Amino acid sequence: MAALLYAAVLRIVSCSSAISKQTLIMQNTDYNKSIIRDFYRRTVANGDLDYAEQIIADDYIQHSLMVKPGKAGLLEALKAMQQIPKPPASAKPFMRLIAEDEYVVTNLRFEFGGKQMVVVDLFRLRSGQVIEHWDAVQQQPETTLNGHSMMDGTVEIEAIEATEANKKFVEVFCQRVLIERNIETLSDYVTSDLIQHKPEIANGRDGLWQYLHQKGGDFAIHKVLQIIGEGQFVVVQSEGQLDQKPVTFYDVFRLIQGKIVEQWGVQQLMP
């Protein structure tokens, strides 16, 4: 009897510990999201460089091709941004905010030189400070094959309980379809009415199949670098090639009931 009671207590303690750990992870994720949200609102939109100085780590690592290295390089770029005239009636710049543990991903648009630009920013945080950053920026074309802009669509986070399953599903999809090129299995992963936001790809599963089939070796994913998920959204950072040029890809997938139903993406040429 004592042994059974001890085993039961161990199960309760173990369960409580797992719940506490999960709660701490979720609290840390929410805190990191708030830091990045405030960074856009306070620094990018309103020029609060003191806030940037506070939340950017001294050993900050910059991967963006458009910004000088380190914390000093980022602060210099942010200061220069404040000198650029803002458009008289700018569209809402902030759209998707997706986070998991130490990573926060933003998918947003902004106007620059009269052109609509779409960006994916990937931040890594440590102890309340930004320690590392990657990004990709792409101009929104006037027309797309799917009739959608690169930014419209769902933004609210839902189905948090499905995060891990969705991440695993997308990981397998990337491996089998994008890396191994088993495009005949596309129907196992993507709904027939896929909503597509990548300008060069038509709507629907058939549109994605046609793109992959026609591109052949001109489009290839060589390696998945990061998979970050929150609820129904999964973000994939990968590297490969497009039209014989090295490219870093950032794809955002939305899933419902174990299938990909919507896709966004931004890509960046590598040096």
Side-chain angles (χ1 to χ4, degrees):
M1 178 65 71
L4 290 174
L5 181 59
Y6 179 68
V9 170
L10 278 181
R11 284 196 296 271
I12 292 170
V13 170
S14 177
C15 183
S16 299
S17 177
I19 292 172
S20 298
K21 183 179 179 181
Q22 185 62 31
T23 299
L24 287 173
I25 290 172
M26 290 178 64
Q27 288 174 344
N28 185 56
T29 297
D30 289 341
Y31 179 52
N32 287 341
K33 287 175 77 170
S34 72
I35 290 171
I36 298 304
R37 188 184 292 112
D38 284 344
F39 171 70
Y40 281 101
R41 291 174 177 171
R42 294 177 58 173
T43 301
V44 176
N46 296 307
D48 185 350
L49 295 180
D50 289 338
Y51 182 73
E53 175 76 39
Q54 172 190 335
I55 61 116
I56 305 299
D58 290 339
D59 54 348
Y60 170 80
I61 302 169
Q62 178 65 267
H63 296 276
S64 174
L65 301 176
M66 299 178 290
V67 182
K68 292 179 183 178
K71 180 175 182 175
L74 177 58
L75 291 173
E76 179 183 321
L78 291 169
K79 186 175 181 179
M81 281 176 59
Q82 304 311 312
Q83 310 306 314
I84 300 173
K86 290 182 170 55
S90 53
K92 182 181 179 182
F94 197 81
M95 296 293 286
R96 288 175 194 87
L97 182 64
I98 302 162
E100 180 184 7
D101 198 12
E102 63 181 349
Y103 291 100
V104 179
V105 180
T106 62
N107 180 206
L108 56 95
R109 66 173 169 229
F110 64 94
E111 187 175 323
F112 183 77
K115 299 176 181 178
Q116 286 293 321
M117 310 300 291
V118 179
V119 61
V120 169
D121 280 304
L122 170 57
F123 302 91
R124 183 169 69 88
L125 291 91
R126 179 192 63 199
S127 303
Q129 288 190 306
V130 178
I131 184 66
E132 199 164 5
H133 169 255
W134 302 257
D135 68 1
V137 182
Q138 197 173 329
Q139 184 179 337
Q140 168 70 57
E142 292 185 6
T143 61
T144 68
L145 282 181
N146 49 61
H148 298 134
S149 82
M150 294 176 67
M151 278 303 306
D152 59 5
T154 302
V155 298
E156 298 299 328
I157 303 291
E158 299 174 345
I160 290 295
E161 72 284 352
T163 297
E164 288 304 319
N166 286 340
K167 282 181 62 183
K168 184 61 181 177
F169 184 87
V170 170
E171 179 184 6
V172 175
F173 163 75
C174 289
Q175 181 63 38
R176 294 204 63 202
V177 176
L178 301 182
I179 295 178
E180 297 175 2
R181 306 293 295 182
N182 294 313
I183 63 174
E184 70 278 0
T185 66
L186 198 59
S187 61
D188 293 340
Y189 305 95
V190 177
T191 59
S192 61
D193 56 349
L194 172 71
I195 303 169
Q196 185 61 253
H197 298 273
K198 299 187 78 167
E200 66 276 18
I201 306 177
N203 271 319
R205 184 170 63 222
D206 288 345
L208 182 55
W209 188 92
Q210 286 288 344
Y211 176 80
L212 295 173
H213 179 71
Q214 290 171 2
K215 275 293 182 182
D218 288 335
F219 167 76
I221 300 295
H222 297 150
K223 183 180 181 181
V224 171
L225 304 174
Q226 296 284 350
I227 298 180
I228 298 153
E230 186 177 16
Q232 82 275 35
F233 290 112
V234 178
V235 182
V236 178
Q237 179 198 41
S238 61
E239 60 183 18
Q241 69 176 39
L242 183 63
D243 299 328
Q244 275 125 50
K245 296 176 182 177
V247 172
T248 302
F249 299 94
Y250 294 84
D251 287 289
V252 182
F253 300 99
R254 183 169 68 91
L255 292 87
I256 294 180
Q257 296 180 347
K259 283 260 182 117
I260 296 168
V261 300
E262 196 162 9
Q263 179 181 7
W264 300 262
V266 179
Q267 56 215 29
Q268 183 80 50
L269 281 173
M270 296 167 61

